[in-house]
């Protein structure tokens, strides 16, 4: 158990809908990273937050957004969903150590 | 921009034999390198890292990796593979600019046969 939690574990929704994925980092970790894992794109970095502030953006679509709250949990919002958004979404956190610790992921299926 | 390459999609070995999973990297500056393992329907588990120091780093579950600066490689090794080592392995490099994001290789599926 990495100490990073994600909910829900599975999500099935229809095209055009909006969903919210939730992540709680390890106790004491200020950084949260979101990654998308798909068969065609592999593991791609989406966005990073540090202590409530956006730190970096990667290959994140404009339909996607995220935020980190004062209690340091983070939410990834995906809107106007398309079939191609079906993927595993991971969050990770780290503190003073170099490695990132990953949550179990949320498997999103868009039908 | 930094990147890693894993030249083998699949590696197949017999239980008890040595296991090697290859990774090469490209960075501007000092590389911070990582190996992760992913079991089916699970998240990524951290195995080991190279930041500085000894070129041979030891990690979890008997795995080790050798950093080779001249060959820009960071191969993962295990002297004696187990069936339970069958999984998807990812090499990653950290961006040492402001954001510290990880860039992952495409992954290598390891199958250890009994």
């Amino acid at each position: 158990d990495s100490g990073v939690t994600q909910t829900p574990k599975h999500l099935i929704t229809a095209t055009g809908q909006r969903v919210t994925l939730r992540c709680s980092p390890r106790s004491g970790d200020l950084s949260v990273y979101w990654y998308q894992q798909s068969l065609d794109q592999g593991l791609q970095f989406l966005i990073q937050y540090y202590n409530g502030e956006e730190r970096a953006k990667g290959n994140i679509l404009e339909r996607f957004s995220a935020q980190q709250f004062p209690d340091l949990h983070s939410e990834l919002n995906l809107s106007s969903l398309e079939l191609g958004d079906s993927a595993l979404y991971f969050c990770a956190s780290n503190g003073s150590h170099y490695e990132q610790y990953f949550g179990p992921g949320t498997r999103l299926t868009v039908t | 921009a930094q990147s890693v390459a894993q030249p083998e999609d699949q590696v197949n070995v017999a239980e008890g034999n040595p296991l090697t999973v290859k990774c090469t990297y490209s960075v501007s500056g000092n590389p911070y390198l990582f190996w992760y393992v992913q079991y089916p329907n699970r998240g990524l588990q951290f195995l080991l890292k190279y930041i500085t120091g000894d070129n041979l780093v030891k990690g979890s579950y008997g795995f080790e990796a050798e950093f080779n600066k001249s060959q820009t490689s960071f191969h993962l090794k295990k002297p004696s593979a187990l069936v339970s080592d069958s999984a998807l392995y990812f090499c990653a490099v950290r961006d040492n600019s402001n954001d510290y994001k990880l860039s992952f290789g495409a992954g290598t599926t390891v199958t250890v046969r009994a």
Side-chain angles (χ1 to χ4, degrees), chain A residues 17-48:
Chain A
Q17 295 300 303
R18 172 189 169 96
V19 296
T20 297
L21 282 53
R22 182 186 170 108
C23 166
S24 292
R26 291 180 358 143
S27 176
D29 287 354
L30 300 180
S31 276
V32 170
Y33 305 78
W34 286 97
Y35 294 87
Q36 179 194 59
Q37 185 180 29
S38 62
L39 284 175
D40 53 345
Q41 298 289 328
L43 262 167
Q44 299 278 328
F45 167 73
L46 295 178
I47 197 165
Q48 179 204 0

Side-chain angles (χ1 to χ4, degrees), chain A residues 62-94:
Chain A
E62 286 192 8
R63 300 183 284 107
F64 296 0
S65 65
Q67 54 184 326
Q68 186 179 27
F69 295 87
D71 67 353
L72 301 177
H73 90 272
S74 178
E75 293 181 356
L76 179 67
N77 301 296
L78 315 176
S79 62
S80 302
L81 285 166
E82 301 175 359
L83 296 178
D85 298 327
S86 296
L88 262 172
Y89 292 84
F90 289 108
C91 79
S93 74
N94 67 345

Side-chain angles (χ1 to χ4, degrees), chain A residues 33 35 37 43 45 48 55-56 88 90 98-104 107, chain B residues 32 34 36 38 41 43-44 46 49 51 90 94 98-102 104:
Chain A
Y33 305 78
Y35 294 87
Q37 185 180 29
L43 262 167
F45 167 73
Q48 179 204 0
R55 175 68 68 89
L88 262 172
F90 289 108
Y98 295 99
E99 62 271 23
Q100 294 176 20
Y101 290 90
F102 283 74
R107 182 174 293 279
Chain B
Y32 288 10
F34 306 83
Y36 286 84
Q38 185 178 26
N41 300 313
L44 280 74
F46 169 71
K49 65 179 181 278
I51 305 300
F90 290 98
R94 194 185 86 162
N98 191 45
D99 53 35
Y100 305 151
K101 68 179 183 291
L102 293 177
F104 287 88

Side-chain angles (χ1 to χ4, degrees), chain B residues 5-64:
Chain B
Q6 294 180 242
E8 300 161 318
D9 291 336
Q10 290 197 346
V11 169
N12 299 304
V13 298
E15 189 172 34
N17 281 2
L19 169 63
T20 298
V21 187
K22 295 179 181 177
C23 172
T24 58
Y25 66 88
S26 174
V27 298
S28 55
N30 294 324
Y32 288 10
L33 297 159
F34 306 83
W35 276 101
Y36 286 84
V37 61
Q38 185 178 26
Y39 296 99
N41 300 313
R42 302 283 294 275
L44 280 74
Q45 295 181 31
F46 169 71
L47 282 178
L48 49 79
K49 65 179 181 278
Y50 173 82
I51 305 300
T52 187
D54 288 342
N55 290 340
L56 186 65
V57 293
K58 295 188 182 296
S60 306
Y61 312 120
F63 283 95
E64 57 190 28

